[in-house]
Amino acid sequence: MILSNASRTRHRRLGVAATAAGLLAALLTAGPAAATPDPGDTPATGKAVSKTAREQAAEAIASGEIPGQDESVHSANIQPLANIPKDALPGTNSDLAFQGRYAFAGNYDGFRIFDIGNPKAPKTVAQVLCPGSQNDISVSGDLLFLSTDSSRSDSSCNSTTQPATEKSSWEGMKVFDISDKRNPRYVAAVETACGSHTHTLVPQRRDVYVYVSSYSPSAAYPDCQPPHDGISVIKVPRNHPEKAAVVNFPVLFPGDGPDGGGNPGAPTNPGVSKTTGCHDITVLPSQDLAAGACMGDGILFSIKDPEHPKVIDQVQDNVNFAFWHSATFNQKANKVVFTDELGGGGAATCNAAVGPNRGADGIYDIVGKGDKRKLVFRGYYKIPRHQADTENCVAHNGSLIPVKGRDIMVQAWYQGGVSVWEFTDSTKPKEIAYFERGPLTTDTLTVGGAWSAYYYNGHIYANDIAKGLDVLKLTDRRTDPAQRVRLSELNVQSQPDYFD
């Protein structure tokens, strides 16, 4: 069913939101083992919802307010081109990276490489079994980087889950050689404090610096001790990746107390996450600038010296932001969009009960110059299409669509689908296109939907947690100029200068 954007804008009253709550990787030759998420990862099983919520979801489908199960709808300016279901890796699909004609898709059980030379018919090139959530993924030259944020028995791809309370447990970064896309080779492992929930590359000619984001320390975890108020910096020599090592742990939230200088969270700020590290960082190497989404704080920092990043500004939103999740700069580097992952990605927050300002994007202008730059709040953006209370939905990963003179991005909203929206006027953001599926179920809150949605060389690629890889074509006069921009590589958290 294809309906215009206007006719699909919904402001109905669905029920109350759910409560926020060896070093050689073998190519798959047998059934993969299931990765076990850590606490805080997206839940793997459905949660019960009230009878009222079940009835409302069924009624919304029957009336056409939301698409039915396994039904997709989209605005007239988006065309779905392909969907490639999950195959040998049954775990949660996660992030995406791109290089030439290839897309690299993370999965809690490993990663998958697609040939997207023909976007209408992507082909699987390789599937690598290497369990360890989240398997956040990025690429640079012949190297692929994979984050492990679940406590494992060792650093191998044959590891099993093991309590973080055991000193011998391992979490951190894995490095693969992808010079042969059909046969990736596991070449290095670097253990990092509290593992690696996500990571961000700062590529240079001879070396690749990796900023490792992790959080939630505990005095009971030998390798993840409080206050953990910084990030791990790994240096990876391109010609000798086996020599990769942690070279610094810069403290981003200095403070005199045992908890550092980040947001204290509850009870001081009820409903807000305590800052004990960062969730994600986006760097803009062309401007020597980075933005950190760090649980209870958003930060702006300089990366002129990549081994020693320097915080420029720190902001909080203790009214509407629960968990600062990710960041995106505009091309001019005078704005940054932060996302709030209210409910941790497993809750239904796209409804009238939660409202338009929570679980949303926060748009900040960057004012001033040099190390005196400041983040100034301007507005919120949230998809205008309410979802059922059986659909996890909240602001998640997205990227710029490169159009000169306009600020437009595409973004994943889990079961809220994929949204294309403009924030050229920071105070008046608006949706201009969308794609979404109906709820996975109408009787339980089951996690699914688009984890990441990114624009790459003329198409939108979305990695759906349950449904696999989606390829979308956007045709709109406001975004058509972006089709002329071609990149040889894209890691969204290492944001390129699209017009250099």
Side-chain angles (χ1 to χ4, degrees):
M1 176 167 55
I2 303 174
L3 299 170
S4 71
N5 189 45
S7 66
R8 291 300 298 177
T9 300
R10 304 191 296 271
H11 298 285
R12 65 182 188 282
R13 293 174 295 162
L14 288 177
V16 178
T19 304
L23 293 183
L24 178 65
L27 291 178
L28 287 167
T29 56
T36 302
D38 280 351
D41 287 337
T42 301
T45 57
K47 297 179 181 178
V49 296
S50 68
K51 179 181 178 182
T52 299
R54 295 195 299 270
E55 291 174 347
Q56 288 177 332
E59 290 171 2
I61 290 174
S63 67
E65 290 183 289
I66 64 174
Q69 289 180 249
D70 294 322
E71 179 187 12
S72 63
V73 297
H74 52 89
S75 53
N77 52 357
I78 276 188
Q79 178 188 2
L81 296 183
N83 171 260
I84 310 299
K86 290 197 288 190
D87 187 20
L89 300 173
T92 295
N93 279 334
S94 57
D95 213 359
L96 293 167
F98 305 89
Q99 186 181 85
R101 62 184 294 151
Y102 298 100
F104 304 81
N107 177 287
Y108 277 33
D109 286 330
F111 64 93
R112 188 174 181 180
I113 303 177
F114 294 96
D115 183 336
I116 55 171
N118 178 2
K120 293 182 180 179
K123 297 179 180 179
T124 299
V125 174
Q127 299 186 72
V128 176
L129 172 63
C130 198
S133 65
Q134 299 185 122
N135 279 340
D136 188 49
I137 195 167
S138 58
V139 294
S140 183
D142 287 337
L143 301 178
L144 179 147
F145 302 84
L146 207 63
S147 285
T148 299
D149 192 34
S150 58
S151 186
R152 313 296 298 180
S153 57
D154 55 54
S155 63
S156 77
C157 287
N158 298 316
S159 67
T160 57
T161 58
Q162 182 169 289
T165 52
E166 295 188 23
K167 177 61 179 174
S168 63
S169 295
W170 186 91
E171 299 179 69
M173 288 298 308
K174 295 169 180 168
V175 184
F176 292 77
D177 183 318
I178 53 168
S179 53
D180 180 354
K181 301 296 188 293
R182 295 186 179 277
N183 294 284
R185 292 187 305 110
Y186 186 5
V187 295
V190 181
E191 187 171 14
T192 55
C194 300
S196 175
H197 196 70
T198 66
H199 67 270
T200 304
L201 304 186
V202 185
Q204 299 192 334
R205 180 177 296 180
R206 295 183 177 181
D207 306 301
V208 180
Y209 286 97
V210 186
Y211 290 166
V212 176
S213 295
S214 55
Y215 55 93
S216 295
S218 169
Y221 301 160
D223 300 319
C224 184
Q225 291 288 297
H228 192 69
D229 48 10
I231 58 173
S232 297
V233 179
I234 298 174
K235 183 177 181 179
V236 184
R238 291 188 183 275
N239 293 332
H240 295 283
E242 70 279 1
K243 296 182 179 180
V246 175
V247 293
N248 195 17
F249 187 86
V251 174
L252 303 178
F253 302 97
D256 296 332
D259 298 324
N263 198 316
T268 303
N269 296 316
V272 178
S273 293
K274 176 182 176 180
T275 298
T276 58
C278 290
H279 180 277
D280 212 343
I281 291 169
T282 292
V283 298
L284 194 57
S286 63
Q287 301 290 329
D288 290 328
L289 200 61
C294 303
M295 304 182 72
D297 294 85
I299 59 174
L300 189 70
F301 55 101
S302 168
I303 58 169
K304 287 181 180 179
D305 180 350
E307 285 192 26
H308 302 89
K310 176 184 177 182
V311 175
I312 296 172
D313 196 25
Q314 175 182 350
V315 292
Q316 297 177 357
D317 179 347
N318 294 317
V319 176
N320 289 314
F321 260 48
F323 188 92
W324 295 66
H325 176 275
S326 54
T328 302
F329 289 100
N330 69 337
Q331 183 58 43
K332 292 183 179 179
N334 60 8
K335 299 177 187 176
V336 61
V337 174
F338 289 102
T339 67
D340 171 30
E341 195 183 43
L342 173 67
T349 73
C350 296
N351 53 29
V354 175
N357 297 335
R358 299 171 61 216
D361 296 315
I363 307 163
Y364 287 74
D365 285 355
I366 302 173
V367 301
K369 295 182 179 180
D371 289 352
K372 295 185 178 181
R373 283 173 286 191
K374 298 291 183 182
L375 292 164
V376 179
F377 174 76
R378 296 301 189 199
Y380 296 108
Y381 169 75
K382 192 172 184 179
I383 57 172
R385 293 161 287 107
H386 289 167
Q387 309 296 307
D389 280 355
T390 60
E391 296 179 277
N392 62 307
C393 176
V394 75
H396 214 235
N397 293 357
S399 77
L400 282 187
I401 297 178
V403 179
K404 282 188 176 181
R406 305 186 86 132
D407 298 324
I408 301 175
M409 69 179 289
V410 59
Q411 186 175 6
W413 289 78
Y414 289 113
Q415 287 194 70
V418 174
S419 176
V420 178
W421 60 287
E422 181 168 4
F423 59 105
T424 304
D425 182 341
S426 302
T427 65
K428 297 179 179 179
K430 58 183 179 180
E431 184 173 76
I432 62 177
Y434 73 91
F435 167 84
E436 69 165 291
R437 291 186 171 90
L440 289 172
T441 66
T442 58
D443 55 1
T444 61
L445 174 57
T446 303
V447 170
W451 178 291
S452 301
Y454 299 145
Y455 185 92
Y456 177 68
N457 291 355
H459 294 84
I460 293 169
Y461 297 87
N463 208 17
D464 188 289
I465 289 171
K467 298 293 187 179
L469 181 73
D470 287 309
V471 185
L472 310 173
K473 181 66 175 179
L474 175 64
T475 304
D476 189 289
R477 60 175 178 78
R478 292 162 289 192
T479 59
D480 286 347
Q483 297 182 33
R484 297 192 290 268
V485 178
R486 288 291 185 269
L487 301 176
S488 59
E489 191 171 273
L490 177 64
N491 300 294
V492 169
Q493 287 76 31
S494 303
Q495 198 168 311
D497 183 341
Y498 289 95
F499 304 112
D500 183 7

